[in-house]
């Protein structure tokens, strides 16, 4: 296990991710009660069933543990199968196989976001009510955060970790947000990217930094201060603390419950990220551009964020027919004439 942890560290995987892998392997080993080189697929069957039935763990949790076990046993087979067989007489086998390996937890589940008019209704009412909010500053902060999810597709963790210096109005035509804590694949730490301030994000951030941010505290001109601060202060420095993701989630949930009650309990920050991708695609933005905006490593991941209306296929069919008709008329009349059946053909 120590060699496995060392190998993951050598691959650049974060300490937290390594710790999660170790915890899954040790939990499995304690459940089986035998050395790992004696473990079989039947042991994995019982363990996964135990997690689902006895522990009542979520599908995603069981899936992640199974995948971590599979990766550990791949390592064991590849590096130490010969040595272990020579020492113990056992042939190490991969206990997570094609029969018990859980499918991706959200397979077949579509996170379809609200329609454009519903989102417009929510944010329009939210924006109008800001001046009368009982606590204006956190209400304005939560509105800005949700707008970044809706318009630029930021993840909630990426939003929380933004500092004032991460807004770069000098980059590009609209300015860009330097997302330094993007989600890295396979636990390899943050993956930074620059997010262009499209869809009025530049105007929102200008409003925030000009009219609101300084009301939280004197650190508004400190480049290292959080862009989205909490009302609470650091005990020792008196500086604003960073707003937590729970506060931002609660702000969105409260707004949805008040102005879009049909989506109460269903619309999440990640749902607005899906909405961002879908709305940009509907406006003609290419998949590759959306992939770069969202920070996905694989285009196949981005396609899972695109949700089109039920009549999308019909519209695409009608558009294709219009293009064909255009080619067969006007300048393309000779083609139509060529396709006209001859007397012999009749």
């Amino acid at each position: 296990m120590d060699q496995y942890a060392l190998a993951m560290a050598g691959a650049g995987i974060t300490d937290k991710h390594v710790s999660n892998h170790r915890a899954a392997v040790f939990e499995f080993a304690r459940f089986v009660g035998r050395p790992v080189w004696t473990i079989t697929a039947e042991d994995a069957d019982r363990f996964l069933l135990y997690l689902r039935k006895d522990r009542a763990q979520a599908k995603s949790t069981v899936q992640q543990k199974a995948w971590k076990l599979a990766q550990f046993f791949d390592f064991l087979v590849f590096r130490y199968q010969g040595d272990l067989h020579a020492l113990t007489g056992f042939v190490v086998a991969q206990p997570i196989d094609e029969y018990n390996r859980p499918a991706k937890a959200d397979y077949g589940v579509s996170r379809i976001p609200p329609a454009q008019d519903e989102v417009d209704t929510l944010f329009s009412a939210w924006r109008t009510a800001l001046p009368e909010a009982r606590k204006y500053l956190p209400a304005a902060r939560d509105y800005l955060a949700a707008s970044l999810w809706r318009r630029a597709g930021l993840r909630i963790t990426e939003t929380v970790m933004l500092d004032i210096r991460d807004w770069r109005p000098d980059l590009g035509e609209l300015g860009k947000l330097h997302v330094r804590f993007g989600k890295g694949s396979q636990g390899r730490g943050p993956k930074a990217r620059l997010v262009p301030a499209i869809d009025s994000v530049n105007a929102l951030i200008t409003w925030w930094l000009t009219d609101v941010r300084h009301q939280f505290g004197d650190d508004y001109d400190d480049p290292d201060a959080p862009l989205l601060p909490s009302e609470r202060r650091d005990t020792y420095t008196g500086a604003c603390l960073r707003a937590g993701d729970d506060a931002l989630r609660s702000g969105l949930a409260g707004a949805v419950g008040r102005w879009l009650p049909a989506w109460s309990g269903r619309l999440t920050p990640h749902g607005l990220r899906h909405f961002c991708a879908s709305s940009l695609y509907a406006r003609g933005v290419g998949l590759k551009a959306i992939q770069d905006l969202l920070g996905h490593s694989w285009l196949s991941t981005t396609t899972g964020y695109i949700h089109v209306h039920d009549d999308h296929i019909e519209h695409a069919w009608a558009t294709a027919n219009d293009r064909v008709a255009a080619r067969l008329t006007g300048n393309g009349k000779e083609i139509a004439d060529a396709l006209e059946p001859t007397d012999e053909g009749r």
Side-chain angles (χ1 to χ4, degrees):
M1 190 64 236
D2 289 341
Q3 287 299 129
Y4 180 52
L6 185 61
M8 286 191 287
I13 294 176
T14 61
D15 291 345
K16 181 179 180 180
H17 204 72
V18 173
S19 177
N20 289 338
H21 272 255
R22 287 171 57 90
V25 174
F26 283 129
E27 182 182 8
F28 184 34
R30 283 193 297 269
F31 174 85
V32 175
R34 302 196 314 273
V36 293
W37 55 83
T38 69
I39 286 175
T40 64
E42 289 76 12
D43 295 319
D45 295 344
R46 292 189 298 108
F47 178 65
L48 297 177
L49 186 63
Y50 160 76
L51 295 179
R52 293 182 188 278
K53 301 297 184 180
D54 297 350
R55 297 284 304 279
Q57 293 189 346
K59 290 182 179 179
S60 59
T61 302
V62 177
Q63 166 211 301
Q64 290 297 326
K65 287 185 178 180
W67 290 3
K68 288 168 184 173
L69 293 177
Q71 187 171 325
F72 170 72
F73 277 92
D74 280 345
F75 170 83
L76 207 60
V77 169
F78 185 81
R79 287 204 180 181
Y80 296 111
Q81 188 179 61
D83 293 339
L84 285 170
H85 181 261
L87 288 170
T88 68
F90 285 94
V91 176
V92 180
Q94 170 60 267
I96 307 296
D97 56 27
E98 59 183 302
Y99 299 104
N100 62 16
R101 181 190 297 266
K104 192 170 183 181
D106 59 358
Y107 181 77
V109 177
S110 183
R111 294 178 175 174
I112 300 177
Q116 180 73 53
D117 59 341
E118 292 177 302
V119 173
D120 288 343
T121 296
L122 167 63
F123 279 86
S124 177
W126 195 351
R127 180 175 61 251
T128 302
L130 281 180
E132 287 77 38
R134 186 175 64 87
K135 300 180 72 173
Y136 171 74
L137 293 182
R141 177 201 63 203
D142 297 344
Y143 173 79
L144 174 66
S147 297
L148 294 178
W149 307 331
R150 169 201 180 186
R151 297 177 182 275
L154 265 62
R155 299 178 178 93
I156 187 169
T157 303
E158 296 170 346
T159 309
V160 166
M161 296 304 296
L162 288 172
D163 288 340
I164 290 177
R165 65 187 171 97
D166 292 326
W167 169 233
R168 296 294 305 274
D170 56 310
L171 298 180
E173 296 182 8
L174 303 173
K176 296 186 178 182
L177 278 169
H178 185 199
V179 176
R180 292 176 292 115
F181 290 89
K183 182 180 178 182
S185 61
Q186 299 297 319
R188 284 181 169 82
K191 183 175 69 172
R193 71 183 187 281
L194 289 170
V195 175
I198 60 173
D199 202 8
S200 301
V201 166
N202 54 346
L204 281 165
I205 295 179
T206 299
W207 159 74
W208 172 255
L209 292 176
T210 303
D211 297 342
V212 185
R213 179 60 181 84
H214 66 277
Q215 299 183 54
F216 278 90
D218 296 335
D219 60 349
Y220 65 93
D221 60 351
D222 180 358
D224 294 322
L227 182 67
L228 300 177
S230 168
E231 289 184 296
R232 295 179 298 165
R233 301 301 184 93
D234 185 279
T235 305
Y236 300 102
T237 66
C240 292
L241 295 174
R242 193 178 302 277
D245 56 358
D246 286 341
L248 301 185
R249 289 181 194 276
S250 297
L252 174 63
V256 171
R258 184 175 179 184
W259 293 297
L260 198 63
W263 281 84
S264 184
R266 295 193 294 150
L267 182 57
T268 64
H270 200 72
L272 286 177
R273 182 168 155 87
H274 278 246
F275 170 81
C276 174
S278 300
S279 63
L280 290 176
Y281 183 75
R283 283 182 275 175
V285 180
L287 281 174
K288 184 62 175 68
I290 298 174
Q291 176 191 5
D292 293 341
L293 181 75
L294 299 184
H296 287 154
S297 298
W298 302 98
L299 192 60
S300 59
T301 304
T302 306
T303 58
Y305 281 63
I306 304 300
H307 309 277
V308 296
H309 296 296
D310 292 340
D311 58 356
H312 177 74
I313 295 177
E314 289 89 338
H315 283 311
W317 170 255
T319 302
N321 280 341
D322 288 343
R323 288 198 298 266
V324 172
R327 289 199 298 269
L328 297 178
T329 58
N331 295 335
K333 187 176 184 301
E334 66 278 3
I335 301 177
D337 294 339
L339 294 177
E340 184 69 23
T342 62
D343 291 337
E344 295 178 358
R346 292 191 185 93

